[in-house]
């Protein structure tokens, strides 16, 4: 889905940028140009950012939990 019509940026591109380390709207604006023209996409992009950060945190928590299991310890 296109999130930023002005700059033709999709939700997939936003998520890919976040997989590469972007964690804030400011970084997203600098890297992709999201919300740098009319600004109508700001809240949608921010929602995707928040959702993706939560998903990344959950994945990290699951990974840490699995690695603490006896089968993986030592
Ligand atoms: S839709 Fe993103 S800046 Fe206009």
């Amino acid at each position: 889905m296109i999130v930023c019509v002005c700059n033709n940026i999709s939700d997939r591109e936003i998520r890919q940028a976040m997989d590469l380390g972007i964690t804030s709207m400011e970084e997203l604006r600098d890297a992709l140009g999201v919300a740098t023209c009319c600004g109508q996409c700001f809240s949608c992009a921010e929602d995707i950012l928040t959702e993706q950060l939560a998903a990344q945190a959950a994945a990290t928590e699951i990974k840490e939990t699995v690695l603490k299991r006896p089968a993986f310890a030592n």
Side-chain angles (χ1 to χ4, degrees), residues 12-13 19 21 32 37 42 54 69:
R12 185 191 303 190
E13 291 171 293
D19 285 343
L32 298 180
C37 193
F42 187 92
R69 289 183 177 174

Side-chain angles (χ1 to χ4, degrees), residues 3-7 33-42:
V3 174
C4 180
V5 175
C6 294
N7 297 298
V34 174
T36 57
C37 193
C38 74
Q40 291 293 308
C41 60
F42 187 92

Side-chain angles (χ1 to χ4, degrees), residues 62-73:
I62 289 169
K63 188 188 302 181
E64 288 172 359
T65 300
V66 168
L67 292 177
K68 286 179 184 170
R69 289 183 177 174
F72 294 102

